[in-house]
Amino acid sequence: TSTPPPHLDFRAFVDALRSDDDLADINAEVDPNLEVAAVTRRAYELQSKAPLFHNIKGAHDGLFRILGASGGLSSDPQFPYRRLVRHVGLSPNASLGDFIDKMLSAKGKPGIPPVHVETGPCKENKLFGNDIDLTKLPAPLLNKADGGNYIQTMGINIVQHPTKAWVNWSIARAMVLDKTRMVGLIMKPQHIARIYAQWMESGKDMPFAIALGAPPIAVMASSMPLPEGVTESEYVGALCGEPLELVKCETNDLYVPARSEIVIEGTVSITERAKEGPFGEMHGYSFLDEELMEPIYNVAAITYRSGNAILPISVPGRATGPDETHTLIGTLASAEIRQLLQENGLPVLNVFTPYETQVIWAAVQVDRKKLWELETNAEEFCRKIGQLVFRRKCGMQIHRLLIVGDDIDPFNFKDVIWSYASRCRPGMDEYHFEDVAAYPLVPYMSHGPGAKLTGGKVVANCLLPHEYKQEQMWVTCDFENGYPEEIKERVLRRWSDFGL
Ligand SMILES: Cc1cc2c3c(c1C)C(C)(C)C[C@@H](C(=O)Cc1ccccc1)N3c1c([nH]c(=O)[nH]c1=O)N2C[C@H](O)[C@H](O)[C@H](O)COP(=O)(O)O
Ligand SMILES: [K+]
Ligand SMILES: [Mn+2]
C-alpha cells in the first residue's frame, strides 16, 4: 500500500520535513540524560531544523530514536509556520490564520468514525509482562529540575468513558516510575480527568493507550479543547474527509492509529498515586516545590514499528522560540475561543495567543463596522466576552484577553502591543474577573499573592470609545497607512536607487 500523506503518517511527516530541508539527521551518539533535551530546547530557541536523533545512548531492540521540536517553528524564515501546517496538510506558505481555519473547518459537520483494521505498522513488535522494563528504555530527562524521565510528552492519551461512546484523545504528560509503571498528570477540567472521575465512580481502573508518533493531524485534535463528548478521532475524520485507520490494543478494547510509531497500553489505577513532577512547564518555569500526587499508569504492553521506532518529544519552556505547548496549545485554544465567540454572535474575526506572552494572553480581533451595529460600549462588550471565555474550558489557560480592532493583526505582536499600550487606559479600560477558574500553572497563580485556583483574569479594552460607534478619528503613522498609494508606489520603485 502506498504511504499516506504526511498529515496522516508520522514517518511520512518526518520525510516531508527532510525534503523541506527542515530536519537534521543526527547520527552521532547523544545522551537521553539531558543532552537530547538541551539540543531540542536550543533548536526551538534558534528556530533551527528539527533534530532527529538516530543514535540514542542506551537504545536497544529498535526502541528508540527521538524526534525533537516536531511542532516548533520552521528553520526557513520565509515559511515560519511550514512545520506546523504540514501537520494538517496545508501548503508550506499557509499562515497561522489558515491553520486555525483548517482546524475549525469540521465544525458543524458530522464526525466520520474511524475504521478498524486488522493490523498495522505499530503491531510489528510486541512486549508483554517481563519483557517490559521502562527503566531500560532511553526515556529522556528533559530539564535538570524534572522529577523523572518524561517518556510521554507528544503522544496521544486515549481513554474511553465507562458508559458512553465517548473516546477522548488528548495530550497529557507521563514520566517513568519503575519497570512497568508510569505516573502522569490528570488534571481537571481536562477531559482525561473527567473520564477518570467516571472510572473512579465505576470502581474499576481506567484502560488507557498512549500512541506516540501518531498521525500529525490527530496530534493537533488531541491538543485542541474540542467540546465535551466529542470523540476526537471522528472530528479528525471530518477534517480529512476520510476515516482514520485504527487497530485494537492487545490488552484492552481501546483502538490506536495503526501507523503509530510506539503504543503503550494498560490501565490507570483509580487508587494508587505517586509523586509526579517537577516538570519544566509551558510558562518557562519549573518550581522546585511542586508536589503533585498523580495517578499511576500500569503498563501491560508496548507495541512498536520496526525500522527503529521514533519517539517524538516536546521540551516545554520559554517561548523565546515557541515549543508545542505554545504553537499547539495556544493556537488550538485560540481556535476554540474564536468558535465560541462567533457562535455567540460576536463580531470576532480571529483570536490568537501571542507567543511573546507565553500564550497566557489572547488577542481578540473585532470587526469594528459590525461592532457599531451592536450599539454597545467597552464595559458591556468586554464583560460579555469575559463571561463567555473565562467560564469555558477552552479559555482555561488564558488570563488576559486583549480586545483589538480590525486594523490590528492578532498574529503580529507588534500590532497587538501597540494598541494595548496606546489605547487601553489603566484603571478604566480593564475589566477584572476574580470568580472564574484560573489556570493554576501560571506562576502568579501557583506562587503568587492571591488564591491559587480562582481569579487573576482580565479583559483589556484596546479600542477607543469612538471606535465602538464610528470610523477611527486618526491616521495611523506608519508607511502602510500614512501615505497615499501613489507616493508609496513611487518610493518602493525608487528604493533600491536610493541605495537604502
Ligand atoms: C501539545 C501539548 C498539550 C499539553 C501538554 C503538552 C503538550 C506538548 C506537554 C506534555 C509537553 C506538557 C503538558 C503540560 O504540562 C501542560 C499542561 C497544559 C494544560 C493543563 C495541564 C498541563 N501537557 C498537558 C496538557 N494537558 C494536560 O491535561 N496535561 C498535560 O500534561 N496539554 C494540553 C492538552 O493537550 C489540551 O488542553 C487539550 O485540549 C486536552 O484535550 P481535551 O481534554 O480538551 O480533550
Ligand atoms: K482534545
Ligand atoms: Mn476532548
Side-chain angles (χ1 to χ4, degrees):
T1 57
S2 67
T3 301
H7 65 280
L8 284 175
D9 178 70
F10 181 80
R11 217 157 274 193
F13 171 77
V14 170
D15 291 342
L17 294 193
R18 186 175 292 114
S19 67
D20 290 343
D21 195 23
D22 197 21
L23 184 87
D25 285 296
I26 300 168
N27 292 300
E29 183 181 78
V30 188
D31 193 336
N33 182 41
L34 290 174
E35 191 180 18
V36 162
V39 172
T40 301
R41 178 101 293 271
R42 193 153 193 271
Y44 293 122
E45 294 177 9
L46 298 184
Q47 289 174 26
S48 70
K49 298 174 182 176
L52 176 56
F53 304 96
H54 291 272
N55 182 357
I56 300 286
K57 186 177 172 200
H60 57 85
D61 304 321
L63 289 176
F64 27 62
R65 291 185 281 173
I66 291 181
L67 173 69
S70 53
L73 296 187
S74 103
S75 54
D76 183 338
Q78 205 188 345
F79 303 115
Y81 309 115
R82 182 179 55 198
R83 201 180 301 170
L84 273 181
V85 299
R86 274 224 175 277
H87 280 76
V88 296
L90 292 179
S91 66
N93 60 353
S95 67
L96 281 174
D98 298 330
F99 175 64
I100 289 175
D101 290 347
K102 170 70 183 175
M103 287 311 290
L104 290 175
S105 61
K107 287 288 182 182
K109 286 184 189 166
I112 298 183
V115 293
H116 295 163
V117 294
E118 267 313 294
T119 185
C122 75
K123 294 292 190 182
E124 289 162 354
N125 301 276
K126 299 178 184 179
L127 300 176
F128 301 99
N130 253 339
D131 299 338
I132 297 170
D133 186 343
L134 298 171
T135 65
K136 292 270 187 311
L137 296 179
L141 181 62
L142 300 179
N143 180 294
K144 69 182 181 186
D146 278 6
N149 296 337
Y150 277 83
I151 192 167
Q152 156 54 10
T153 56
M154 277 305 288
I156 297 177
N157 300 62
I158 299 173
V159 293
Q160 177 156 3
H161 190 283
T163 57
K164 295 181 186 153
W166 176 24
V167 180
N168 198 73
W169 288 10
S170 66
I171 295 190
R173 74 195 193 214
M175 59 179 241
V176 172
L177 183 62
D178 57 29
K179 198 166 177 289
T180 61
R181 300 186 307 170
M182 304 184 295
V183 55
L185 181 61
I186 294 185
M187 183 181 116
K188 284 192 185 312
Q190 302 291 62
H191 290 155
I192 189 170
R194 293 185 190 173
I195 289 174
Y196 179 72
Q198 296 297 318
W199 282 95
M200 286 183 83
E201 268 187 39
S202 77
K204 288 190 299 237
D205 286 349
M206 176 171 76
F208 82 89
I210 296 176
L212 292 141
I217 195 164
V219 171
M220 287 299 175
S222 301
S223 306
M224 184 172 179
L226 289 164
E228 176 154 354
V230 170
T231 288
E232 277 83 0
S233 61
E234 297 182 1
Y235 189 79
V236 174
L239 280 178
C240 300
E242 61 177 309
L244 281 175
E245 293 187 348
L246 309 185
V247 292
K248 189 182 162 311
C249 281
E250 303 293 317
T251 62
N252 60 41
D253 294 335
L254 294 171
Y255 283 79
V256 296
R259 307 183 69 85
S260 302
E261 292 286 324
I262 302 168
V263 176
I264 303 174
E265 49 172 275
T267 55
V268 180
S269 170
I270 56 168
T271 53
E272 294 174 305
R273 288 176 175 254
K275 188 175 171 316
E276 195 268 343
F279 179 73
E281 304 283 8
M282 64 187 281
H283 303 117
Y285 301 76
S286 179
F287 284 101
L288 307 179
D289 61 350
E290 195 173 84
E291 275 287 327
L292 292 171
M293 292 301 283
E294 294 296 327
I296 286 177
Y297 285 71
N298 288 296
V299 176
I302 297 176
T303 72
Y304 57 101
R305 285 184 74 143
S306 292
N308 223 341
I310 303 171
L311 180 86
I313 65 168
S314 172
V315 185
R318 287 198 57 193
T320 34
D323 61 64
E324 294 77 13
T325 60
H326 317 118
T327 60
L328 273 61
I329 302 182
T331 312
L332 296 163
S334 303
E336 280 291 332
I337 291 168
R338 178 181 112 185
Q339 178 71 16
L340 171 70
L341 295 175
Q342 290 177 339
E343 271 173 359
N344 279 274
L346 293 169
V348 168
L349 297 167
N350 231 325
V351 177
F352 182 63
T353 49
Y355 299 141
E356 293 84 347
T357 71
Q358 282 308 125
V359 305
I360 301 171
W361 299 3
V364 176
Q365 185 194 37
V366 172
D367 179 329
R368 289 178 294 179
K369 282 209 174 36
K370 291 223 174 66
L371 181 63
W372 303 338
E373 291 159 22
L374 298 183
E375 294 185 351
T376 182
N377 58 56
E379 166 122 37
E380 185 188 66
F381 191 64
C382 291
R383 287 213 169 284
K384 179 164 183 156
I385 290 180
Q387 290 293 356
L388 280 169
V389 175
F390 294 148
R391 297 192 189 286
R392 290 290 195 312
K393 177 174 162 304
C394 61
M396 165 180 81
Q397 285 144 2
I398 308 302
H399 268 259
R400 170 170 272 115
L401 290 166
L402 300 171
I403 312 303
V404 299
D406 42 37
D407 61 317
I408 298 297
D409 173 1
F411 302 103
N412 176 346
F413 187 62
K414 286 191 173 149
D415 266 15
V416 170
I417 202 67
W418 173 63
S419 74
Y420 181 40
S422 57
R423 294 186 226 172
C424 178
R425 188 192 187 289
M428 294 179 81
D429 272 323
E430 295 201 296
Y431 303 94
H432 295 270
F433 290 76
E434 280 305 319
D435 67 341
V436 294
Y439 182 30
L441 272 64
V442 175
Y444 53 68
M445 297 310 294
S446 63
H447 289 78
K452 298 185 183 314
L453 300 178
T454 54
K457 298 208 172 188
V458 59
V459 180
N461 169 50
C462 305
L463 294 162
L464 296 177
H466 74 267
E467 294 184 83
Y468 279 82
K469 49 183 187 296
Q470 65 187 77
E471 284 286 349
Q472 66 184 54
M473 295 159 64
W474 75 85
V475 167
T476 295
C477 303
D478 59 13
F479 180 73
E480 178 59 27
N481 297 288
Y483 305 90
E485 287 312 314
E486 187 269 332
I487 293 291
K488 287 195 289 185
E489 277 153 22
R490 190 193 311 166
V491 165
L492 291 174
R493 199 170 51 248
R494 304 184 67 196
W495 192 258
S496 55
D497 300 344
F498 296 146
L500 286 169

